[in-house]
Amino acid sequence: MHVVVLTKSTPDTAAKVSVEGGTVTWKEAMVLNPWDEYAVTEAVLLKEAHKVKATVMTLGKEEHGEALKQGIAIGCDQGIRIWDDGLEGHDSLLYARSVAAAVQKLGDASLVIFGKEFSDTNTDQHVYQVARKLGWTVLGSVAKILEIDFGAGTIKVERLLEQGKQIVTSKLPVVIAVLKDINEPKYPSFIGIRKASKADIPVWGLADLGVDAGSLKTKVTALAEPPKREGEVEMITGDSAAQIAATLADKLLEDKVL
Amino acid sequence: MDFSLTEEHLMAQQMVRDFAHNEIYPTIKEWDRKQQLNPIVLPRMAELGILGINIPVRYGGQGFDYLTLALVCEELERVDTPLRVIMSVHMGLNSMSVLQWGTEEQKQRFLVPQAKGEKYAAFGLTEPNAGSDVAAMSSTARREGDVYILNGEKMWISLATKAHHILVFAKTDPHANPPHSGITAFMITDDMKGVTSGDIHDKLGVRAGSTGWVAMQDVEVPVENRIGEEGEGFYIAMAALDNGRYTVGAGAVGLIRACLEDSIKYAHSRETFGKPIAKHQLVQQKIAFMQQWYDASKLLIMKAGWLKNIGQRNTRETSVAKWYATDMSVQAALEAIQIHGAYGFSDEYDVERYLRNGKGAVIYEGTSEIHQLMQAGYALGFREDRPLRCELPAYDPEFWQN
Amino acid sequence: MIFVWLEHFNGSLVQASRESLGFAKSLGDSVTGLVFGQGVDGVVSEAFHYGADKVIKAEDATLETFRAEPYIALLAKLVQDHNPTYVMAAATVRGRETLSGAAADVDGALLHDVVDAKVEGGKLVATRAIYSGKVVATEAVVGDGPQFVTLRSRAFKALESDSSRSGDVSTAAPVLSEDQIATKVESFEASVGTVSLTDAAIIVSGGRGVGGPEGFAPIRELAAVLGGAVGASRATVDAGWIPYVHQVGQTGKVVSPDLYIACGISGAIQHQAGMRSSKIIVAINKDAEAPIFKIARYGVVGDLFEVVPALTEALKARLGK
Ligand SMILES: Cc1cc2nc3c(=O)[nH]c(=O)nc-3n(C[C@H](O)[C@H](O)[C@H](O)COP(=O)(O)OP(=O)(O)OC[C@H]3O[C@@H](n4cnc5c(N)ncnc54)[C@H](O)[C@@H]3O)c2cc1C
């Protein structure tokens, strides 16, 4: 029995990201994709509670190995990195085919966990697409795993939709995407850190996975910085709160946003 | 020469940074005002393994090296000094002394629960009338069969009211000549009859920490709780200080970094005369000095840590590092307040706390004056370190990690 | 032909789906709305009112409440059978799952959660916010096959409802039978009395400055007067002052209302990531140096407990409430 958590390294959330010469750059260090702190923690909690194996996996270049090390330091048993020159510039379908093949290669996985989205590309379609390529059920927006029984192959979760909470049961295997509410992220343990720093992380290429890169369906054609908002603030002052409020209310009415 | 830190070092540093920043920083001002140690601090540091960071796994610790201890102290004091003070007494002064001088049986009985964080540890050397002049202490230990009877009062003891195990020093021979040769070390526990303690309030700094007194009245301490030989206490205390001072200096490096980081942030955002104050040369000079103090202090501390790792005596190197880093941390705090102007003078910003906290470190674990005397003593040939019966063991990954 | 998968709740189209129809219609091609569920005739008429030319409806007990598997399977089947050029939906939780899944099933191109889109030489070209809004990417379909796109809520305009419009309705049968579906929906608990953040035109948000759970009271009152939603910064959610569903920012919701009133929010970069595309930002904060003022249109340096109630009163008077 085996839980697989997918992750990647992303720029620190406080990073000053800019676009220079057509590429996105930043100076700050890369960190575990913030949503994946919850995903990795959930995998480790399940591992501890159900005595299953936990594997942390990424698809990406060497820098994403750092996220795997972080995953191991938090408590995953092993890390696997998927990379191949043929994956350069991959779209979500190629991602999905490759990751699905890797999960299948593990043989005994019955739960794949993603964080809600990747905070660099701000995408989550890969979650559902991996599930489809695996032929598994997908449960997105999971706020709680209420029950899981690896032996019986069942899971019960609470999903957060725009209009409320949904309780859903499913048979395993499933792919889930978890929200921030699901747990209190774990720090790496010192023992985990030592394990991570010594870990040998295998790299699986397209040939290992039996995946043919094929041709891309979508491509990023331009990158730019959004127009600056800075510098347009108008400070509202007055002798009393009532006066300030009156001025502000009039401005908002003029702007027709009410 | 190799200045690089390993991946293990960096990940441990990051983990402690995240803990201190996420869990302690948000409420630090509240606890500082209340003059209480946030009750989650010790249990969380225990749970995360920080309280046993550089103790071998076989003794309940995490098996990291002495350099990691310095990195951990830097990260803790970056957020608040009392966090690092915990490491100074629990780890530097007490646990590492048991590692260095304790018998195997004592390591099992004291070190293991301390490293696991099941028991908290403190260090009682100072007395109301004996600080820098350790040999002037008046606490006594009288042997009666299988026990020693301890009497006396220890003052300014960090974690006095929180610790379960306190390494105390008392005179088994009050008339010894020289006086320091009559001092012996004992591990007392808070549940022993005759041990009482209390907190000291209204300190200038380290307010979110715990500093207090411990009184011993006819406390019966079993012979098995004597650390080292009779009359060896002074050497044990001084060796303990080699480790305690290391943590204090490492913490001061963190405090300088706090001053530097906060000042940089403020200098970019505050504007005077139509530009950010970061563009004024006199402000830049202060930033430049802080950077210099940080770099120099860190190098001195890492050098001392490296010596510990390879098992070389480092009393002088640790002393100069502690002296320089703590003096410069006070200086950095003063400059940080200056950069923050009136805001720095209020507790709306953190820098005034840095000053209040930093000032303690030029007093405890050897005042700056004492370190000056030591350095002069070494340089002038008045002072020399002689081998100890038990040296701090070098960091051996095999022994530590398995 | 353009397919628009339509999401509905409590018998009516969700606003974001109306926006999807509006966008689809602007491309000039014939628009077919897809409505899955049980007893959806009201939704079908509404689809026409908001611009659909045709509707394919699938009604079955297996489709009564949303589940990814039967919905994805059915959408993929319809795409294969009808071969539309574009397949669209709102980038809501359900829309993301359904379109991403179906795109995978038919190996179609997918542009996801876009804020703007156009067609160039028969291929979709869209802009999306990436790096939490710090970068704008242009993404284009380059491959063959059906082109899928999900549209960010509030980024596209819905047409005025025209109740005289109607059109052809055809029906489709579900692909999966109940015993082929692994998931069962046990229950659903609708959130009561609150406007959903992502749909809201006005959001009033509270940060650390509210001081505690009770501090949200003036925020709620102002939101109620404006018919807006209540937002919150991560600090307040982590402190347990307000539930996570209210969190705006990097690890919360990304919103772009017409008006965002930030009360006692310093405006850390992670919070800005969730709201900087709002049309008008008002910042109310005691600290004149707070970064939120840098992105605000209007700023008030003051105590939110004085300014916010005063603003509530002022707006009540002006809006005649
Ligand atoms: C927050 C805090 C926590 C502490 N925690 C502990 C603890 O956990 N355990 C513990 O045992 N102690 C602890 N101490 C006590 C600390 O170690 C002593 O305060 C320190 O050793 C100095 O002793 P003193 O205060 O008695 O000063 P004194 O020794 O009385 O010195 C007074 C002044 O005279 C100067 N001076 C003294 N001798 C000389 C000399 N020969 N030449 C020149 N100048 C000299 C000193 O530098 C100082 O400026 C703590 C103190 C503080 C403030």
Side-chain angles (χ1 to χ4, degrees):
Chain A
M1 242 103 53
H2 205 148
V3 176
V4 184
V5 56
L6 267 297
T7 186
K8 77 189 287 192
S9 300
T10 57
D12 190 293
T13 55
K16 291 203 176 59
V17 174
S18 59
V19 178
E20 276 162 39
T23 50
V24 181
T25 60
W26 62 90
K27 284 206 221 74
E28 292 80 353
M30 302 269 269
V31 297
L32 188 70
N33 176 39
W35 295 99
D36 297 346
E37 292 183 18
Y38 306 96
V40 170
T41 298
E42 198 60 25
V44 172
L45 291 173
L46 289 172
K47 168 194 151 164
E48 287 166 356
H50 298 271
K51 312 274 170 267
V52 292
K53 188 169 175 183
T55 294
V56 56
M57 200 183 264
T58 193
L59 182 151
K61 291 191 181 156
E62 190 130 21
E63 69 251 34
H64 298 287
E66 293 304 309
L68 297 183
K69 295 227 159 141
Q70 191 74 5
I72 296 171
I74 292 171
C76 291
D77 298 295
Q78 62 170 357
I80 293 166
R81 186 161 69 88
I82 304 169
W83 190 247
D84 195 298
D85 287 346
L87 288 167
E88 188 77 53
H90 63 85
D91 59 14
S92 63
L93 275 179
L94 180 51
Y95 177 97
R97 288 194 284 129
S98 309
V99 169
V103 170
Q104 258 145 4
K105 190 174 153 90
L106 290 173
D108 58 347
S110 57
L111 178 66
V112 172
I113 308 179
F114 283 92
K116 177 175 176 268
E117 65 174 19
F118 287 147
S119 72
D120 51 358
T121 51
N122 290 123
T123 48
D124 65 354
Q125 67 264 45
H126 54 270
V127 176
Y128 320 111
Q129 300 198 323
V130 166
R132 296 309 285 182
K133 293 299 175 192
L134 279 166
W136 294 8
T137 298
V138 60
L139 298 168
S141 229
V142 171
K144 279 270 159 319
I145 295 184
L146 300 169
E147 289 162 22
I148 185 162
D149 185 333
F150 287 94
T154 54
I155 185 171
K156 180 174 183 179
V157 303
E158 177 185 309
R159 269 161 49 84
L160 215 56
L161 305 177
E162 277 86 356
Q163 301 84 358
K165 290 178 195 165
Q166 195 187 43
I167 309 290
V168 186
T169 55
S170 178
K171 297 191 192 98
L172 296 178
V174 293
V175 174
I176 65 172
V178 302
L179 298 178
K180 183 191 153 200
D181 236 9
I182 194 159
N183 54 40
E184 193 57 49
K186 275 174 162 294
Y187 295 102
S189 70
F190 290 115
I191 302 291
I193 287 172
R194 179 162 322 109
K195 200 172 148 205
S197 71
K198 293 189 172 147
D200 227 351
I201 293 177
V203 180
W204 291 355
L206 290 174
D208 302 311
L209 299 173
V211 170
D212 168 21
S215 58
L216 296 180
K217 300 283 179 186
T218 63
K219 192 167 100 183
V220 175
T221 55
L223 295 164
E225 287 175 32
K228 291 250 177 305
R229 289 197 79 104
E230 269 86 351
E232 51 168 304
V233 65
E234 177 182 341
M235 299 308 286
I236 314 276
T237 53
D239 295 335
S240 63
Q243 197 189 344
I244 292 172
T247 315
L248 182 56
D250 289 338
K251 300 231 177 238
L252 294 175
L253 283 167
E254 256 168 59
D255 289 334
K256 298 197 171 32
V257 287
L258 298 181
Chain B
M1 198 181 307
D2 182 0
F3 283 99
S4 58
L5 291 173
T6 63
E7 188 165 23
E8 215 172 287
H9 288 133
L10 296 172
M11 286 178 91
Q13 179 180 37
Q14 185 66 44
M15 180 267 211
V16 175
R17 178 179 300 173
D18 289 345
F19 155 70
H21 181 268
N22 299 344
E23 299 190 27
I24 309 303
Y25 181 74
T27 56
I28 192 60
K29 283 185 187 146
E30 213 177 287
W31 295 105
D32 193 74
R33 278 190 207 120
K34 274 197 218 165
Q35 302 199 42
Q36 278 170 29
L37 178 66
N38 177 347
I40 72 155
V41 166
L42 283 164
R44 281 297 281 152
M45 285 174 73
E47 197 178 353
L48 294 172
I50 300 173
L51 293 183
I53 182 69
N54 57 305
I55 299 299
V57 171
R58 68 184 65 204
Y59 295 127
Q62 304 294 330
F64 280 60
D65 68 355
Y66 298 115
L67 284 173
T68 314
L69 173 62
L71 298 173
V72 165
C73 288
E74 177 179 338
E75 293 311 322
L76 292 174
E77 191 151 1
R78 166 65 188 88
V79 166
D80 199 40
T81 302
L83 301 177
R84 189 274 305 150
V85 170
I86 290 170
M87 293 309 284
S88 294
V89 298
H90 176 91
M91 176 58 73
L93 293 168
N94 187 316
S95 299
M96 285 170 74
S97 298
V98 182
L99 180 69
Q100 179 169 358
W101 300 88
T103 62
E104 186 58 31
E105 183 273 334
Q106 287 171 332
K107 286 177 187 160
Q108 294 301 334
R109 202 149 47 92
F110 302 125
L111 185 55
V112 170
Q114 289 175 198
K116 286 184 175 167
E118 294 162 0
K119 300 285 184 201
Y120 308 140
F123 181 81
L125 180 64
T126 307
E127 296 184 358
N129 293 312
S132 307
D133 186 3
V134 171
M137 74 170 56
S138 52
S139 292
T140 56
R142 193 176 72 244
R143 174 116 189 210
E144 277 186 13
D146 290 343
V147 298
Y148 287 90
I149 310 296
L150 267 66
N151 279 286
E153 190 184 354
K154 296 292 173 181
M155 191 69 178
W156 302 111
I157 305 308
S158 306
L159 299 188
T161 56
K162 310 283 184 252
H164 307 99
H165 297 169
I166 311 176
L167 182 60
V168 296
F169 297 84
K171 285 188 171 166
T172 36
D173 180 0
H175 308 292
N177 189 17
H180 72 248
S181 65
I183 299 174
T184 303
F186 300 91
M187 189 71 86
I188 64 168
T189 57
D190 63 336
D191 55 4
M192 285 178 174
K193 197 158 168 283
V195 175
T196 49
S197 63
D199 281 321
I200 299 171
H201 285 296
D202 302 322
K203 304 186 300 275
L204 175 67
V206 210
R207 288 188 159 217
S210 146
T211 317
W213 51 266
V214 178
M216 301 175 289
Q217 198 184 356
D218 296 326
V219 180
E220 286 187 19
V221 181
V223 176
E224 306 88 75
N225 283 30
R226 189 189 70 217
I227 308 288
E229 310 285 335
E230 263 190 31
E232 212 170 31
F234 182 79
Y235 300 98
I236 294 175
M238 292 305 121
L241 287 168
D242 282 354
N243 299 324
R245 286 167 180 166
Y246 174 63
T247 62
V248 174
V253 172
L255 194 63
I256 300 173
R257 198 178 94 214
C259 295
L260 180 61
E261 288 176 355
D262 289 15
S263 297
I264 290 171
K265 189 165 164 221
Y266 193 75
H268 280 308
S269 70
R270 178 75 175 178
E271 292 189 6
T272 65
F273 301 98
K275 51 186 175 185
I277 60 170
K279 298 276 184 189
H280 299 305
Q281 285 193 349
L282 286 174
V283 173
Q284 291 180 3
Q285 186 186 43
K286 295 180 197 306
I287 302 275
F289 271 121
M290 286 187 211
Q291 183 70 54
Q292 181 194 41
W293 299 332
Y294 175 76
D295 287 343
S297 302
K298 179 133 189 181
L299 283 174
L300 289 173
I301 283 294
M302 295 317 258
K303 166 89 180 289
W306 172 74
L307 288 169
K308 287 182 199 294
N309 268 357
I310 62 172
Q312 268 193 32
R313 188 65 176 274
N314 53 82
T315 306
R316 190 192 74 75
E317 290 82 357
T318 298
S319 152
V320 80
K322 187 270 179 185
W323 166 37
Y324 183 78
T326 56
D327 268 11
M328 290 310 117
S329 72
V330 174
Q331 211 54 42
L334 282 168
E335 297 291 35
I337 293 176
Q338 198 67 13
I339 288 175
H340 282 70
Y343 291 100
F345 196 62
S346 84
D347 81 349
E348 194 178 331
Y349 284 84
D350 293 313
V351 287
E352 62 84 35
R353 194 177 75 251
Y354 300 159
L355 179 67
R356 291 189 288 106
N357 283 345
K359 188 60 193 167
V362 295
I363 296 172
Y364 50 70
E365 307 233 15
T367 63
S368 293
E369 289 77 8
I370 292 299
H371 290 291
Q372 289 164 38
L373 293 179
M374 286 174 70
Q375 294 305 316
Y378 283 113
L380 292 164
F382 301 153
R383 191 184 169 105
E384 203 185 338
D385 293 325
R386 266 173 251 124
L388 298 169
R389 184 174 63 80
C390 303
E391 299 282 0
L392 181 72
Y395 179 72
D396 170 4
E398 277 302 304
F399 183 84
W400 250 253
Q401 296 175 13
N402 300 304
Chain C
M1 184 183 14
I2 302 175
F3 268 7
V4 182
W5 178 77
L6 296 170
E7 183 174 343
H8 49 94
F9 184 73
N10 277 351
S12 70
L13 275 183
V14 303
Q15 179 59 23
S17 284
R18 297 173 186 156
E19 295 162 9
S20 305
L21 283 170
F23 171 68
K25 201 68 193 146
S26 75
L27 297 181
D29 207 346
S30 126
V31 173
T32 302
L34 310 180
V35 182
F36 304 165
Q38 251 313 35
V40 293
D41 286 341
V43 181
V44 169
S45 328
E46 214 189 334
F48 290 119
H49 301 166
Y50 281 95
D53 299 305
K54 287 186 199 157
V55 168
I56 300 175
K57 72 167 180 178
E59 290 188 293
D60 190 76
T62 57
L63 302 172
E64 178 159 11
T65 44
F66 175 85
R67 284 180 293 177
E69 302 147 283
Y71 273 56
I72 292 172
L74 178 55
L75 177 59
K77 172 86 167 39
L78 292 172
V79 170
Q80 274 161 341
D81 291 352
H82 297 264
N83 203 21
T85 323
Y86 310 114
V87 184
M88 306 185 177
T92 56
V93 171
R94 300 177 182 90
R96 287 160 180 262
E97 295 183 5
T98 309
L99 261 71
S100 306
D105 283 8
V106 304
D107 282 328
L110 170 67
L111 300 176
H112 199 46
D113 197 18
V114 308
V115 296
D116 196 10
K118 56 179 188 270
V119 172
E120 278 176 10
K123 305 276 190 207
L124 277 170
V125 179
T127 47
R128 334 184 27 246
I130 60 172
Y131 292 89
S132 308
K134 294 173 200 163
V135 177
V136 179
T138 308
E139 277 181 40
V141 172
V142 290
D144 298 329
Q147 304 177 39
F148 291 73
V149 59
T150 58
L151 311 169
R152 160 101 36 116
S153 293
R154 301 187 46 75
F156 297 86
K157 278 219 149 32
L159 299 172
E160 286 291 320
S161 168
D162 176 355
S163 55
S164 67
R165 293 194 78 234
S166 65
D168 272 1
V169 181
S170 52
T171 55
V175 175
L176 300 181
S177 60
E178 190 58 44
D179 57 5
Q180 291 172 301
I181 303 170
T183 49
K184 306 274 172 264
V185 175
E186 303 277 320
S187 64
F188 181 80
E189 183 192 325
S191 26
V192 278
T194 50
V195 185
S196 135
L197 273 176
T198 37
D199 290 341
I202 297 177
I203 294 174
V204 188
S205 245
R208 211 189 278 280
V210 305
E214 319 76 39
F216 273 98
I219 311 273
R220 287 202 181 89
E221 277 164 41
L222 178 55
V225 165
L226 295 174
V230 173
S233 73
R234 175 172 185 161
T236 62
V237 173
D238 286 354
W241 300 347
I242 189 164
Y244 169 60
V245 284
H246 293 277
Q247 187 182 321
V248 171
Q250 183 120 26
T251 47
K253 295 221 167 64
V254 178
V255 298
S256 51
D258 295 334
L259 174 61
Y260 189 91
I261 306 182
C263 312
I265 293 180
S266 68
I269 193 156
Q270 293 89 341
H271 187 75
Q272 290 188 18
M275 44 68 80
R276 60 178 299 138
S277 63
S278 307
K279 224 176 259 156
I280 295 223
I281 296 169
V282 175
I284 301 169
N285 203 301
K286 264 204 263 193
D287 177 8
E289 309 278 338
I292 191 80
F293 288 116
K294 290 232 166 83
I295 60 160
R297 174 75 187 85
Y298 302 114
V300 178
V301 177
D303 184 348
L304 76 93
F305 292 104
E306 290 171 16
V307 179
V308 173
L311 186 59
T312 307
E313 287 313 311
L315 287 165
K316 254 191 205 164
R318 282 163 182 74
L319 299 171
K321 288 189 184 168

